[in-house]
C-alpha cells in the first residue's frame, strides 16, 4: 500500500474539498512540490482558476499560484497564495479533518474535509479568524461537543503558528516547481 512519502515532486493529484456536511465543494488538479514541508506533510501546487474572491483582506485572483499543505495527522491545512509574478499575497488556513489520499485513483485523489473555521494572515499583518459564526450556527457545540472543542483548539494552534510565522506560515517567496509526471 503506497503512503504519502511515495508521492514524489512532480506527481499529479486531484484535490477534493469537502464542505462541513461532507458534500463535495471543489475538485481541482494539483502537483506535488518540494518546499521543505516537514514529515508527514505533503505540499501541492495548484492554480486559482475561478473568479476573483476577497476573503477578509486576502485576494485570490485568476492565475494565482497556491502552495497547499496537507497532513494525514493534523487537523488543518494551509495555502500560501502567490500572484502570477511570484509575490506572496498571504496565507489561508482551514480547520479540517486530517487529509486522506485515495491511491487507487489515477491520479491519486487527496481529500480534505473543511470544518468551518479559517485563519488568514497577510505578509505584514496579524492573523484573522473567519467563519466562527458558521461554526456557532452549525449547532456542533451541543451535537458534538468533542469535535467543537477540537475545532477551537485547532483554531488556537493556527493562531499561534501564524503569529510565530512557523510552518505552514513560513513561505516568503514562490519555490520553483518540478515538471509534472503521471
Amino acid at each position: 500500500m503506497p503512503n504519502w512519502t511515495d508521492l514524489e515532486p512532480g506527481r499529479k493529484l486531484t484535490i477534493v474539498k469537502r464542505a462541513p456536511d461532507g458534500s463535495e465543494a471543489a475538485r481541482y488538479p494539483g502537483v506535488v512540490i518540494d518546499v521543505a514541508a516537514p514529515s508527514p506533510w505533503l505540499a501541492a501546487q495548484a492554480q486559482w482558476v475561478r473568479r476573483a474572491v476577497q476573503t477578509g483582506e486576502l485576494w485570490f485572483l485568476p492565475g494565482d499560484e497556491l502552495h497547499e499543505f496537507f497532513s494525514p495527522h493534523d487537523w488543518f491545512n494551509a495555502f500560501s497564495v502567490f500572484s502570477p509574478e511570484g509575490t506572496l499575497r498571504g496565507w489561508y488556513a482551514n480547520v479540517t479533518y486530517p487529509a486522506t489520499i485515495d491511491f487507487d485513483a489515477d491520479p491519486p485523489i487527496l481529500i480534505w474535509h473543511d470544518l468551518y473555521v479559517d485563519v488568514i494572515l497577510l505578509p505584514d499583518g496579524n492573523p484573522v479568524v473567519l467563519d466562527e459564526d458558521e461554526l456557532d450556527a452549525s449547532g456542533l457545540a451541543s451535537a458534538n461537543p468533542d469535535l467543537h472543542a477540537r475545532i477551537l483548539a485547532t483554531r488556537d494552534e493556527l493562531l499561534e503558528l501564524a503569529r510565530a510565522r512557523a510552518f505552514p506560515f513560513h513561505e516568503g517567496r514562490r519555490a520553483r516547481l518540478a515538471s509534472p509526471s503521471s
Side-chain angles (χ1 to χ4, degrees), residues 99-157:
T100 61
I101 297 178
D102 176 358
F103 286 99
D104 292 331
D106 188 23
I109 300 173
L110 186 145
I111 301 164
W112 64 277
H113 188 152
D114 191 37
L115 289 172
Y116 303 103
V117 177
D118 307 312
V119 173
I120 61 168
L121 178 66
L122 299 177
D124 62 352
N126 292 316
V128 176
V129 177
L130 303 174
D131 302 332
E132 288 180 309
D133 57 333
E134 291 179 21
L135 176 61
D136 291 342
S138 73
L140 201 57
S142 58
N144 190 338
D146 291 339
L147 180 57
H148 186 266
R150 168 64 93 157
I151 292 168
L152 296 179
T154 302
R155 173 206 59 198
D156 294 346
E157 178 184 2

Side-chain angles (χ1 to χ4, degrees), residues 75-88:
W75 284 70
F76 64 89
N77 64 31
F79 305 157
S80 302
V81 182
F82 296 95
S83 72
E85 299 77 33
T87 303
L88 177 67

Side-chain angles (χ1 to χ4, degrees), residues 12-171:
K12 292 179 182 179
L13 298 170
T14 298
I15 301 170
V16 174
K17 174 188 177 183
R18 297 215 179 276
D21 67 5
S23 63
E24 187 172 305
R27 178 180 290 257
Y28 53 96
V31 63
V32 175
I33 57 174
D34 182 6
V35 289
S39 182
W41 286 84
L42 177 77
Q45 181 271 331
Q47 294 295 129
W48 186 262
V49 295
R50 297 177 178 216
R51 64 178 173 74
V53 172
Q54 183 179 13
T55 306
E57 293 185 35
L58 180 60
W59 281 91
F60 292 81
L61 300 173
D64 281 354
E65 181 176 300
L66 281 64
H67 291 180
E68 304 186 359
F69 299 94
F70 302 98
S71 168
H73 303 293
D74 293 276
W75 284 70
F76 64 89
N77 64 31
F79 305 157
S80 302
V81 182
F82 296 95
S83 72
E85 299 77 33
T87 303
L88 177 67
R89 293 191 196 282
W91 296 269
Y92 194 101
N94 303 277
V95 176
T96 69
Y97 287 103
T100 61
I101 297 178
D102 176 358
F103 286 99
D104 292 331
D106 188 23
I109 300 173
L110 186 145
I111 301 164
W112 64 277
H113 188 152
D114 191 37
L115 289 172
Y116 303 103
V117 177
D118 307 312
V119 173
I120 61 168
L121 178 66
L122 299 177
D124 62 352
N126 292 316
V128 176
V129 177
L130 303 174
D131 302 332
E132 288 180 309
D133 57 333
E134 291 179 21
L135 176 61
D136 291 342
S138 73
L140 201 57
S142 58
N144 190 338
D146 291 339
L147 180 57
H148 186 266
R150 168 64 93 157
I151 292 168
L152 296 179
T154 302
R155 173 206 59 198
D156 294 346
E157 178 184 2
L158 282 168
L159 289 170
E160 281 185 38
L161 292 169
R163 287 183 184 112
R165 298 291 170 97
F167 180 86
F169 302 99
H170 65 296
E171 288 189 296

